[in-house]
Amino acid sequence: MDASGQTNRQLRVAGEPSAKRTKDSVQTKTRTETDLELLVFGADEEDASGRLFSKLGREQGSESPASSDNENDEDDDSDDNEDSGEAPLFFVDTERDQQQVESESEAESEDAPSEADEPAAWEDDDMQDATVALKSKARLRKLRTEEDEDNVSGDVYEERLRRQFEKINPVPKWAASDDSDRVGSDLLQTSAPLVSHTHVQLPSSSIDIARVRNANQAAVSQSAVQSVQFHPSASVLLTAGLDKTLRLFEVDGKENQKIQSIYFKDLPITSAQFIRGGHEIVASGRRGWYYAVDVEHASVTRINGVPGRPLKSLEFMRTSTDGDRMAFMGNAGQIHLVSTRTKQFVHTLPMNGVVRDVEFTNDGNYLWSTGLDNHVYQWDLRQNQCVSRWHDPTVFRPTCLAISQDATYYASGDHAGVVNIYDARAMREEAQDSTFFNVRPFKAVSNLTTAVHGLRFNHSAEILAVYSRKKKDQLKLVHLPSATVFSNWPGSNSHLGHVQCVDFSPMSGFMAVGNDAGKALLYRLQHYPTY
């Protein structure tokens, strides 16, 4: 009984003696309590629950046997509903015969229409009276079945729109399959992971690459971009150049908003890199000092060169992202090591000839270096001594080198535009008996026509980027282990400019290219799903 019905009943019995009202209320309360006790405490009477639910059934006019008091109460309740003008909230039918239910269920299953015959959930009656001119707009002309057709009714227009949508967006195979239930049951019958973590090899024929919004679109450099580097863990890109400004951008491929920029009034930047796991940035140039930027505390510190080593220029700097060393290339084949934490001088590694380039291994324990005499050195930084050295007669005046993160491949570029790629595993097998030996590359890439100025492996050692600064669009991507150059990129409309630097994001989802126009071009490598 709802609240309004109870109020009306109280008004009708207001003129009756109070004793009768008390007696009725006591009797009603006692019946209710009795019913609840029978239902809750598990009475033996099988009709206990039926007595409760039968009351609800009789609210809709069901005439089941009951006591005279109940009949009077039900009549009063019926009158209350009529007076209030409101129907009961729900109806529970407990008196239908089970056989009747089964027979009706069978009839419904036989007469039930299929999904294709079911009517639409909602239909717009006004569409039948509407008229659409297909020639009025260019996008509607494709809906015509004949060239001279113009006006169609609304329902015809709706049907053609539906067909056009299904034509453009066909039903996927997984949705059209009749074995979807079987596939789902197969998945539930095994404890194997639903997502496979097996790495799919990068195809060697072509690379799926797309140009996105420039990484520094929010703040273009006023000079050539000399350094680009991705943060080792965050989606942040660093750019720096001769305009004395260091900039940080949040990389998403869409907005690439600028996070911060730092201007050094006395340092045109030629090299800027992350150190200490990305917590700090060091920037150097053709000066006897360099700057350290604490990313967490937003503080800038000027360091006056290498203590005890008067170097006029610190432009040739290499750092280990996760290691505790950074190297400055000096004169007469000297490589000066500095601690990334204290910025104090640690040790000098001597080479016999002029040093051209150095590269840290990914773990920071080793440093490789090359010089004009075609000798390559491998230094153990834990002992600060040379552990291996070899001569490469195939290189003409080496200019740069690179090592893959897993130390599987080693690459060297020379002045003639040739890039030699070596299998580091075969080199280690050959060097077991001697620390000085001759090596041969397993592939020589000669797609560049000018001196090679930079090499960069991606995180999985499947791509090697090689570039030259002397001519426009001199950037090639080499597939590994096939050591073949991707033929579909860059194309004639890539417009790279004079490439100055290249870097890959931690999981190779993006590639950044800095050029002489002050732009940091950003490309999305579709093969790699993450940043």
Side-chain angles (χ1 to χ4, degrees):
M1 182 182 298
D2 56 11
S4 60
Q6 185 178 1
T7 303
N8 293 337
R9 182 179 179 181
Q10 292 176 354
L11 291 176
R12 285 199 299 271
V13 301
E16 298 180 4
S18 60
K20 184 177 180 180
R21 292 198 306 269
T22 304
K23 181 180 180 181
D24 294 339
S25 62
V26 171
Q27 291 178 353
T28 303
K29 180 179 180 180
T30 303
R31 265 196 318 272
T32 303
E33 291 178 348
T34 302
D35 293 336
L36 290 176
E37 289 176 356
L38 294 175
L39 182 64
V40 173
F41 295 104
D44 296 334
E45 289 85 347
E46 296 180 356
D47 61 338
S49 60
R51 291 171 55 189
L52 290 179
F53 290 105
S54 63
K55 295 179 181 180
L56 297 174
R58 286 194 298 276
E59 289 182 3
Q60 289 294 333
S62 173
E63 298 180 358
S64 60
S67 63
S68 58
D69 293 339
N70 288 342
E71 291 177 356
N72 295 334
D73 292 340
E74 302 307 323
D75 295 338
D76 292 342
D77 293 343
S78 178
D79 296 338
D80 296 343
N81 290 333
E82 293 177 359
D83 295 340
S84 62
E86 296 180 1
L89 295 178
F90 56 88
F91 169 70
V92 180
D93 190 355
T94 60
E95 299 182 1
R96 299 185 62 186
D97 185 74
Q98 182 66 21
Q99 184 176 358
Q100 182 181 358
V101 172
E102 294 178 357
S103 61
E104 290 182 2
S105 300
E106 294 177 358
E108 289 176 359
S109 62
E110 294 177 357
D111 300 337
S114 61
E115 294 183 359
D117 299 334
E118 290 182 358
W122 178 81
E123 294 182 358
D124 190 358
D125 297 336
D126 295 337
M127 287 297 294
Q128 299 179 359
D129 301 332
T131 302
V132 180
L134 300 182
K135 292 184 179 181
S136 60
K137 295 182 179 180
R139 63 179 182 178
L140 298 180
R141 295 175 184 173
K142 64 181 70 175
L143 301 178
R144 296 178 298 174
T145 57
E146 298 179 359
E147 185 176 359
D148 56 348
E149 185 179 16
D150 188 8
N151 296 326
V152 296
S153 61
D155 53 350
V156 175
Y157 172 69
E158 180 181 0
E159 179 63 24
R160 294 186 183 181
L161 279 178
R162 191 181 305 276
R163 289 203 306 264
Q164 182 69 14
F165 176 82
E166 294 175 353
K167 179 180 178 181
I168 299 175
N169 303 279
V171 179
K173 295 182 179 180
W174 62 265
S177 176
D178 296 334
D179 300 333
S180 57
D181 295 338
R182 181 181 60 80
V183 173
S185 62
D186 292 343
L187 291 176
L188 297 177
Q189 292 176 1
T190 178
S191 60
L194 298 180
V195 180
S196 175
H197 297 282
T198 305
H199 176 68
V200 180
Q201 294 294 331
L202 180 68
S204 60
S205 57
S206 62
I207 185 170
D208 189 1
I209 185 171
R211 172 80 178 273
V212 295
R213 185 184 179 95
N214 290 350
N216 66 341
Q217 186 71 30
V220 180
S221 178
Q222 302 302 313
S223 66
V225 177
Q226 298 292 318
S227 293
V228 291
Q229 188 180 18
F230 288 93
H231 192 277
S233 58
S235 56
V236 175
L237 178 70
L238 171 155
T239 66
L242 299 178
D243 60 351
K244 307 178 183 179
T245 305
L246 172 70
R247 298 177 177 89
L248 298 176
F249 300 91
E250 182 180 1
V251 178
D252 58 6
K254 299 178 181 179
E255 299 296 333
N256 300 331
Q257 297 181 358
K258 186 181 75 170
I259 300 176
Q260 189 179 12
S261 62
I262 302 174
Y263 176 76
F264 305 100
K265 62 179 181 180
D266 57 351
L267 182 65
I269 303 173
T270 59
S271 179
Q273 301 172 34
F274 287 104
I275 59 173
R276 296 174 51 222
H279 293 86
E280 194 173 358
I281 303 172
V282 288
S284 66
R286 293 182 180 180
R287 300 291 187 272
W289 57 86
Y290 65 98
Y291 284 90
V293 180
D294 192 325
V295 177
E296 293 182 344
H297 301 88
S299 61
V300 180
T301 305
R302 171 172 163 164
I303 295 93
N304 293 321
V306 180
R309 300 296 186 273
L311 300 176
K312 295 183 180 180
S313 175
L314 301 176
E315 61 177 311
F316 300 109
M317 177 186 66
R318 297 292 184 270
T319 64
S320 175
T321 303
D322 297 324
D324 59 351
R325 296 286 186 272
M326 52 185 182
F328 293 95
M329 289 173 277
N331 299 325
Q334 293 182 337
I335 305 172
H336 305 289
L337 300 179
V338 176
S339 173
T340 58
R341 291 174 295 179
T342 63
K343 309 301 185 295
Q344 295 297 316
F345 171 75
V346 176
H347 191 74
T348 297
L349 304 176
M351 290 177 56
N352 292 337
V354 177
V355 58
R356 296 298 298 171
D357 197 11
V358 300
E359 182 77 8
F360 286 90
T361 57
N362 190 49
D363 56 10
N365 293 329
Y366 293 91
L367 177 73
W368 292 35
S369 63
T370 185
L372 286 180
D373 56 356
N374 291 9
H375 284 138
V376 180
Y377 296 76
Q378 185 180 14
W379 308 88
D380 188 344
L381 300 181
R382 294 166 296 186
Q383 305 175 8
N384 291 327
Q385 66 179 7
C386 180
V387 295
S388 184
R389 174 188 171 195
W390 60 89
H391 179 262
D392 189 356
T394 63
V395 178
F396 172 69
R397 297 175 58 189
T399 56
C400 57
L401 61 84
I403 308 168
S404 62
Q405 291 188 15
D406 58 358
T408 302
Y409 298 104
Y410 154 67
S412 175
D414 64 12
H415 193 75
V418 178
V419 177
N420 292 327
I421 305 176
Y422 308 82
D423 190 340
R425 294 166 295 187
M427 293 168 58
R428 283 192 293 268
E429 293 176 359
E430 189 175 351
Q432 290 179 355
D433 300 332
S434 174
T435 59
F436 183 84
F437 56 94
N438 294 329
V439 297
R440 296 283 179 178
F442 76 88
K443 181 69 174 182
V445 179
S446 57
N447 291 69
L448 299 181
T449 58
T450 56
V452 182
H453 291 101
L455 305 168
R456 178 70 65 181
F457 287 96
N458 76 323
H459 82 286
S460 60
E462 293 178 306
I463 303 176
L464 171 63
V466 301
Y467 63 90
S468 175
R469 298 174 179 171
K470 291 195 173 182
K471 292 179 63 177
K472 285 186 176 182
D473 304 332
Q474 290 291 289
L475 171 62
K476 300 295 180 181
L477 299 181
V478 182
H479 174 269
L480 294 172
S482 65
T484 57
V485 177
F486 291 106
S487 59
N488 65 315
W489 193 89
S492 58
N493 56 348
S494 297
H495 305 299
L496 301 175
H498 290 82
V499 177
Q500 305 294 310
C501 47
V502 176
D503 193 29
F504 294 96
S505 60
M507 299 303 294
S508 304
F510 291 96
M511 179 182 68
V513 180
N515 62 15
D516 61 331
K519 298 179 181 180
L521 309 180
L522 191 63
Y523 294 89
R524 179 72 174 92
L525 303 182
Q526 307 291 355
H527 176 77
Y528 302 98
T530 58
Y531 168 80

